[in-house]
Amino acid sequence: MTPSSARPSRVPGTATKTDNNGNLIWAMHNVWLSYRHTMDIRIVRDVLYPILAKAVNFYDHFLHEGGDGKLHLPLTRSPEWADAEDCTYDLSLLRWGCATLLDCLRILRTDHPRARRWREILDRLVAYPRDATGIMIGADKPLTESHRHFSHMLWLYPLHELDWDRPADRDIMRTTFDHWVKDRSLWAGYSYAVASSMASRMERAEEALDLLTFLTDGNLIKNAWITPNTMYVEGGNLATESPLTAAQSILEMAVQSHNGVLRVFPSVSRRWPDLSVHSVRTQGAFLVDADRSAGRTRWIRVHSEAGAPLVLHHGIPGPIDVRDTRGRPLRYRRTGPGRIEIPLARDATALITPRGHRPDPAPRDVPAVGDAKPWGLPD
């Protein structure tokens, strides 16, 4: 880029603000996921940590103490919708950024002169503005019409700051999500896919499938639709974000791995009684194979590439067997209904089955439910 074409920095709290202030931290969340799926510490050391520290420091310049003693943000923009002080989009990314920087220090076994400040921001950052409709766009800025973007809900997905596993989080997650999805008049294709992923995270399997198939069935969504070759048209533009998001929505139904728990078949519709997955990579650098038949999990196989802690929500009712590749019992600890912790070493594999079952743990083709055209293939 030549100096004459360079654009000036956009400053929160001024007329030069844009809806892109938080985008660098959001990009770093994708880098974090790359680390978590590989457990390659070089990603943290060489990319995530140095960039994220600068991105968080940018926000720190604009934080100010309010009369409530909390740290607040000046006017920024919630992408594609409205200007607001204490914008939820920016607050959620800043909160995630500070927490992740402290995780980086632990991973790298180092310290940083600003670590105390990152902890202070986490302790004092103002809570998300909320009203009867749930968490709002920002201070005094509720969501009052259809909004195709989920920028005010990053704390739910994909950041997972609030978690359906915690009963205290469920009401605000449910209320905010229901308010967003009730008016879809201005939605785009990816809105349906992200809403499907959010529904899966809240164990609303039937709704998750309905939202996904509305998109994948080729319905016209304003001026957008998915084409038979899996691409996406929005007006005169061709794009890939909606098909990629739809693919992720399918994975959210089959395998999830957020907040330190690996969940297999966590949100599968009753309309999908059979499902088979093979070599799905998850956080913790695990590779997962699993099979579901007639609505019940037949077996799960987890291979560890890094020896990371494994907490598995298997969802198999009743007693189970946990064995290695030679059929020998593996030690495990039950941590909750349908959930176990397995001390699985690097390059080790665990096979989890209902007690006494010895299935053939191999992937299989699952026939379509009803008439269906394979995506991307000619008639």
Side-chain angles (χ1 to χ4, degrees):
M1 179 181 291
T2 63
S4 61
S5 64
R7 292 204 276 182
S9 298
R10 305 304 186 181
V11 180
T14 74
T16 69
K17 70 188 178 326
T18 71
D19 56 1
N20 299 319
N21 292 127
N23 287 7
L24 180 56
I25 295 183
W26 194 354
M28 290 302 100
H29 178 257
N30 287 327
V31 175
W32 169 255
L33 290 179
S34 295
Y35 159 69
R36 286 290 301 152
H37 282 74
T38 62
M39 302 303 288
D40 184 344
I41 198 172
R42 294 173 298 179
I43 296 174
V44 176
R45 183 191 65 217
D46 300 338
V47 182
L48 175 67
Y49 178 55
I51 297 177
L52 185 58
K54 294 176 182 178
V56 165
N57 188 53
F58 170 81
Y59 271 109
D60 197 9
H61 289 294
F62 307 104
L63 286 170
H64 61 90
E65 184 176 314
D68 56 0
K70 298 291 187 179
L71 296 176
H72 295 259
L73 279 174
L75 196 73
T76 57
R77 184 164 183 81
S78 188
E80 302 190 12
W81 206 79
D83 298 340
E85 296 181 3
D86 290 334
C87 178
T88 297
Y89 173 75
D90 295 284
L91 289 175
S92 61
L93 289 166
L94 177 56
R95 185 172 278 115
W96 176 86
C98 288
T100 302
L101 282 171
L102 296 175
D103 282 340
C104 290
L105 296 181
R106 174 183 54 80
I107 292 165
L108 298 174
R109 300 180 181 181
T110 187
D111 201 359
H112 192 282
R114 296 192 59 81
R116 180 178 295 181
R117 176 59 174 173
W118 298 334
R119 295 187 183 95
E120 181 186 10
I121 292 173
L122 284 176
D123 290 340
R124 298 181 59 203
L125 194 63
V126 66
Y128 302 127
R130 63 174 70 186
D131 64 4
T133 68
I135 291 180
M136 301 191 294
I137 297 291
D140 302 317
K141 187 67 66 172
L143 179 64
T144 55
E145 62 186 60
S146 182
H147 181 22
R148 74 177 192 163
H149 210 284
F150 57 105
S151 48
H152 67 299
M153 299 175 67
L154 296 188
W155 48 267
L156 193 164
Y157 182 85
L159 301 181
H160 306 300
E161 178 189 341
L162 273 64
D163 193 334
W164 194 253
D165 272 1
R166 294 191 291 264
D169 290 346
R170 292 187 174 188
D171 183 63
I172 193 64
M173 294 171 71
R174 184 188 301 112
T175 300
T176 309
F177 176 80
D178 288 345
H179 180 66
W180 178 54
V181 302
K182 72 179 182 180
D183 185 353
R184 307 174 191 178
S185 58
L186 298 179
W187 275 21
Y190 65 80
S191 311
Y192 283 88
V194 169
S196 174
S197 291
M198 290 181 178
S200 287
R201 295 301 172 98
M202 296 186 290
E203 300 176 1
R204 292 160 64 162
E206 304 307 320
E207 187 175 1
L209 183 58
D210 287 340
L211 287 160
L212 176 62
T213 54
F214 188 88
L215 170 65
T216 58
D217 283 350
N219 287 296
L220 182 66
I221 303 169
K222 287 195 67 182
N223 62 344
W225 68 95
I226 280 189
T227 62
N229 68 349
T230 77
M231 298 303 288
Y232 177 69
V233 176
E234 190 171 293
N237 299 319
L238 300 176
T240 62
E241 75 264 307
S242 292
L244 292 173
T245 309
Q248 181 64 34
S249 300
I250 297 172
L251 287 175
E252 303 288 0
M253 298 172 183
V255 180
Q256 298 176 15
S257 58
H258 54 91
N259 290 351
V261 179
L262 172 57
R263 299 164 174 86
V264 178
F265 302 142
S267 189
V268 180
S269 166
R270 294 186 301 272
R271 289 165 282 171
W272 282 6
D274 286 26
L275 191 61
S276 177
V277 299
H278 178 58
S279 293
V280 174
R281 178 174 290 277
T282 73
Q283 294 191 44
F286 298 112
L287 298 178
V288 177
D289 309 313
D291 190 270
R292 165 185 168 95
S293 179
R296 298 175 70 89
T297 299
R298 296 176 60 239
W299 56 267
I300 298 167
R301 182 169 53 200
V302 181
H303 176 74
S304 174
E305 290 189 337
L310 172 59
V311 177
L312 173 68
H313 190 92
H314 55 80
I316 299 173
I320 60 171
D321 287 328
V322 180
R323 298 180 178 274
D324 65 13
T325 54
R326 296 184 179 181
R328 298 172 299 191
L330 285 175
R331 182 167 51 92
Y332 69 92
R333 182 172 67 91
R334 186 177 182 272
T335 60
R339 184 172 295 186
I340 59 176
E341 183 177 347
I342 308 172
L344 199 60
R346 181 191 298 267
D347 294 325
T349 300
L351 179 66
I352 300 91
T353 64
R355 176 72 52 82
H357 287 221
R358 294 293 183 269
D360 176 22
R364 64 187 176 102
D365 289 329
V366 175
V369 178
D371 296 330
K373 296 179 180 179
W375 255 19
L377 298 178
D379 293 339

